[in-house]
Amino acid sequence: DAPALSVQRNVMLAFDDFMRRLDAVYVAQSAAAPPEFVDRISYWRDRCGLAAGVAHKLHQLRIWRNAATHHDAGKWAREGPASEEEAAQLIAECDAAIE
């Protein structure tokens, strides 16, 4: 349905934007950063000083993004946010923390 697709699109765009922004923040360490998002977020947390709470939120957003990219309504229902509001809240929290 259209509302779910809109939330999925917002989750995917926000996650990709946050990854680009953090790549810019940690540009000095980018050569050693792992390519996989799960490992990259953990690397930024463990080696670059990304706050653990922010890393946790980014991992949650990564899980939702992965569910959205599969174009599988069942996977999205199981692994995605419970509501549009939950997605918007997490995106806003990540945005504020990365700002």
Side-chain angles (χ1 to χ4, degrees), residues 23 26-36 39-41 43-44 48:
D23 276 335
Y26 299 121
V27 70
Q29 295 89 358
S30 65
E36 297 294 322
D39 299 327
R40 192 174 201 86
I41 295 166
Y43 173 83
W44 288 333
C48 302

Side-chain angles (χ1 to χ4, degrees), residues 8-82:
Q8 290 174 10
R9 187 172 33 258
N10 289 343
V11 163
M12 290 187 294
L13 291 172
F15 181 81
D16 291 344
D17 177 59
F18 296 147
M19 292 296 99
R20 281 191 298 275
R21 287 166 55 188
L22 286 168
D23 276 335
V25 168
Y26 299 121
V27 70
Q29 295 89 358
S30 65
E36 297 294 322
F37 291 134
V38 65
D39 299 327
R40 192 174 201 86
I41 295 166
S42 295
Y43 173 83
W44 288 333
R45 180 197 62 217
D46 297 340
R47 302 286 176 101
C48 302
L50 180 67
V54 177
H56 177 77
K57 290 173 194 221
L58 287 170
H59 278 303
Q60 183 62 58
L61 194 61
R62 177 188 55 77
I63 291 167
W64 294 351
R65 178 199 174 269
N66 290 347
T69 61
H70 285 96
H71 305 290
D72 176 338
K75 185 174 182 73
W76 177 255
R78 286 186 310 276
E79 298 178 12

